[in-house]
Amino acid sequence: MQTNADKPELTLNPGVKSRPQYPPVSLNPAAQCQVFIARKNTTGDKAGALLKPLMDEAEKSEKSLNIIPLVVGEDGDVISMSQLPQTISSLPLASSFYLAGTEAFIWDVAKLICEAGFIMEQVHLLPPVNNERRLFCTHCYAITEPVTHSPAVCSGCGRHLLVRDHFSKIHRAYVGVQIDAEDPADLPEESEELC
Amino acid sequence: MSKSMIPVRVASVRDVAPKIREFRFTAVDQALPAFSAGSHVMVEMQGAEKTYRNAYSLMSDPADISSYGIAVRLQDESRGGSVFMHTQVQEGDVLNIAPPANLFAPHWAAKKHILIAGGVGITPFMSYLPEMKRRNADFELHYLYRSAQTGAYRQQLSEALGEKYFSYDSDHGQQCIVHQLLAQLSPGAHVYICGPESLIEAVKTEAATLGIPAGIIHYEEFAAPKPGKAFTVSLASSGQQIAVDGESSMLEALEEAGVEVANMCRGGVCGQCVTGVKEGIPEHRDDFLSAAEKASGQCVMPCVSRAVTDSLTLDL
């Protein structure tokens, strides 16, 4: 594997265009309804911590904003993913959404919001809380998640997949292609941790 | 540009409002191209002293391409085009048009379409309506006009649309309360406005106040390029000097001098005619370039923009 020292200095942006960027999120003070959606914490409350400054700001606002915090999980004390569409569809057009959690989660919720008729301009994605990716196999179309290293074994067909940086908004997943298609013995010795 | 123009015959001319005249075009030697709801065509008018080129929305049913319909309002401050259409063009005449282009297509994924027309701004919606009916789309038409001047087709629209039709005749004191109209919208609604700049601005401002995202507000304004002070354009490649008088746009002056610049809307929205600037300071009047691009002074939209300096050197 190449180390950084071996690499020539890149002058062009080496990133894949389709890979989502997560610029800093600020509160949209014009929205009447401020909706904060976080995945219930599994690794400390990272998602909640990301949303807190925005929620604090919304609460301090002089306008009487309608603030709606939603924590998504499987337990009885929180809202489940399947209940989310109904809740979202009851919200007014002048809503702004702030989403935090894993990358697959925030894009899943973004899709539900858009299906309810809102547009992406209203949806603010906080940086994903970890490096977990959802992986879409371009050979058998199976989804494997979470994936943190490349290559990864496909949960559907068992192929060794190179995890690409190309992100599909339809599948809310990164695409994986077989890394050893021509020579099954030619698997990289080391797996690479994704960022 | 001229090689892509399509000759059309004026099949009929009729008045549809005190200041609006409707023209039907049929094919001369080549079939009329298909078009989508919201499309416009650029019509070339050979005046005695100059050639006028104006963009007009197609107002006929996109499913019927045996003819095209446009409606032209006689402008109070006409730069020549609308006066030419009203006084010179007669049945049987042949005009050249550019193939249809669409900068105002409906957002078909919307759950509801709110159409707001001001005066002759009803025209693009005349092509929307049959298509919306075929797709069984949910919509409302809000039609603002002054019956002493505009208000074309209001009888037929009222009959065809029933409770989906709302009319506001300001000559009879009927006002559209934009705030009420927007405040009742639910998620999935998209708003389309065609009309004067003041109407578009009123809707945009009210939407921003209500916290409605700008992305659901769609609009089209074919404002004629406004006059300004005269200046000179220099072409970087040849050094050719072209005078732009106060009444003509930079694009018109370039065309008169035989310089071809790709263009489409001729109203500062589509971005087709964007041209590099080598020297001089442009006076930006378009809705296309970003604030940063305008500030850089390195490009200009010659269809509507002019020059602050006495001369402008273009990368042509």
Side-chain angles (χ1 to χ4, degrees):
Chain A
M1 218 178 106
Q2 268 194 335
T3 65
N4 279 334
D6 301 325
K7 284 184 184 166
E9 209 170 312
L10 289 168
T11 48
L12 293 169
N13 179 1
V16 171
K17 255 189 177 174
S18 65
R19 182 148 196 209
Q21 303 281 311
Y22 300 95
V25 171
S26 50
L27 197 78
N28 169 18
Q32 294 162 7
C33 194
Q34 309 283 359
V35 189
F36 299 90
I37 308 181
R39 183 81 183 172
K40 190 177 184 199
N41 71 50
T42 43
T43 55
D45 192 14
K46 244 180 159 176
L50 281 169
L51 292 177
K52 186 154 189 316
L54 293 166
M55 289 181 71
D56 288 348
E57 193 189 333
E59 272 157 17
K60 275 186 273 177
S61 169
E62 285 167 16
K63 285 173 70 183
S64 58
L65 300 173
N66 191 1
I67 299 168
I68 302 179
L70 296 170
V71 178
V72 181
E74 277 75 39
D75 301 337
D77 61 86
V78 294
I79 188 170
S80 74
M81 205 65 181
S82 58
Q83 292 169 307
L84 210 48
Q86 203 187 343
T87 307
I88 290 170
S89 62
S90 67
L91 297 168
L93 173 59
S95 297
S96 265
F97 299 87
Y98 308 88
L99 315 182
T102 61
E103 193 167 33
F105 169 79
I106 58 178
W107 284 95
D108 282 349
V109 175
K111 178 171 178 270
L112 294 178
I113 292 168
C114 291
E115 281 171 356
F118 299 94
I119 59 174
M120 276 310 279
E121 182 189 324
Q122 299 169 274
V123 180
H124 309 278
L125 305 174
L126 280 294
V129 293
N130 58 29
N131 68 340
E132 290 176 8
R133 295 192 190 188
R134 175 182 291 157
L135 183 63
F136 173 82
C137 174
T138 53
H139 309 283
C140 79
Y141 308 159
I143 292 288
T144 306
E145 68 181 325
V147 167
T148 55
H149 288 76
S150 179
V153 175
C154 174
S155 64
C157 62
R159 286 182 176 91
H160 294 106
L161 302 178
L162 169 74
V163 181
R164 292 199 55 222
D165 278 346
H166 170 55
F167 183 78
S168 157
K169 286 183 185 168
I170 298 263
H171 299 290
R172 287 94 65 213
Y174 290 89
V175 297
V177 292
Q178 188 172 5
I179 196 168
D180 53 357
E182 292 178 359
D183 180 0
D186 187 24
L187 200 61
E189 283 174 26
E190 285 176 62
S191 77
E192 183 188 355
E193 182 163 8
L194 297 164
C195 57
Chain B
M1 189 174 64
S2 53
K3 56 183 173 291
S4 64
M5 298 298 278
I6 303 167
V8 290
R9 179 161 284 110
V10 180
S12 70
V13 180
R14 66 174 180 131
D15 289 330
V16 288
K19 290 200 171 185
I20 302 177
R21 187 166 280 192
E22 178 196 288
F23 300 84
R24 287 265 153 192
F25 298 148
T26 52
V28 173
D29 55 8
Q30 50 178 305
L32 299 177
F35 68 96
S36 51
S39 296
H40 67 269
V41 291
M42 191 261 283
V43 178
E44 204 170 75
M45 294 157 264
Q46 217 67 56
E49 285 175 8
K50 66 183 275 192
T51 304
Y52 305 105
R53 294 181 183 87
N54 285 0
Y56 295 108
S57 295
L58 290 177
M59 44 147 283
S60 44
D61 183 347
D64 175 11
I65 51 167
S66 62
S67 71
Y68 285 170
I70 65 165
V72 179
R73 186 202 200 283
L74 184 62
Q75 297 297 336
D76 302 327
E77 290 169 32
S78 174
R79 298 168 59 256
S82 73
V83 169
F84 185 91
M85 289 301 289
H86 273 251
T87 59
Q88 305 292 310
V89 177
Q90 294 173 354
E91 281 178 23
D93 286 359
V94 171
L95 293 170
N96 281 326
I97 64 169
N102 198 344
L103 299 168
F104 195 49
H107 185 84
W108 289 115
K111 295 177 195 288
K112 184 161 189 174
H113 306 270
I114 309 296
L115 317 180
I116 305 176
V120 76
I122 191 66
T123 49
F125 301 133
M126 297 299 283
S127 74
Y128 275 37
L129 295 169
E131 193 66 32
M132 296 228 159
K133 208 174 165 192
R134 277 191 289 275
R135 293 176 185 238
N136 213 7
D138 189 9
F139 70 90
E140 280 174 12
L141 173 65
H142 296 264
Y143 190 10
L144 291 69
Y145 56 86
R146 303 180 62 179
S147 54
Q149 297 177 354
T150 62
Y153 314 114
R154 60 185 192 270
Q155 190 64 34
Q156 80 181 63
L157 288 167
S158 167
E159 283 164 16
L161 304 180
E163 61 189 15
K164 294 176 178 352
Y165 177 74
F166 301 84
S167 78
Y168 313 86
D169 179 358
S170 60
D171 281 344
H172 284 92
Q174 299 165 349
Q175 263 207 313
C176 175
I177 312 293
V178 175
H179 176 87
Q180 281 176 9
L181 186 57
L182 296 183
Q184 65 185 17
L185 298 182
S186 43
H190 279 248
V191 178
Y192 309 84
I193 318 151
C194 187
E197 192 182 357
S198 57
L199 175 64
I200 296 169
E201 282 308 313
V203 176
K204 282 165 71 178
T205 305
E206 195 61 56
T209 308
L210 286 166
I212 290 173
I216 70 153
I217 312 286
H218 314 278
Y219 50 89
E220 183 157 78
E221 185 206 6
F222 282 126
K226 294 189 178 68
K229 74 174 176 66
F231 62 100
T232 307
V233 164
S234 300
L235 305 187
S237 61
S238 62
Q240 188 184 345
Q241 307 261 322
I242 299 163
V244 182
D245 65 53
E247 292 299 312
S248 300
S249 74
M250 202 184 334
L251 178 61
E252 287 167 340
L254 288 164
E255 286 173 342
E256 287 291 318
V259 181
E260 291 200 1
V261 179
N263 67 87
M264 206 158 73
C265 75
R266 306 178 77 88
V269 292
C270 80
Q272 277 282 305
C273 69
V274 64
T275 303
V277 174
K278 294 276 196 189
E279 266 175 60
I281 302 167
E283 181 198 341
H284 298 289
R285 296 179 171 188
D286 63 279
D287 278 328
F288 177 78
L289 296 175
S290 68
E293 286 169 327
K294 285 180 182 174
S296 82
Q298 296 192 343
C299 48
V300 68
M301 309 285 297
C303 63
V304 288
S305 296
R306 305 185 67 85
V308 175
T309 40
D310 290 335
S311 80
L312 206 58
T313 305
L314 298 179
D315 190 11
L316 285 172

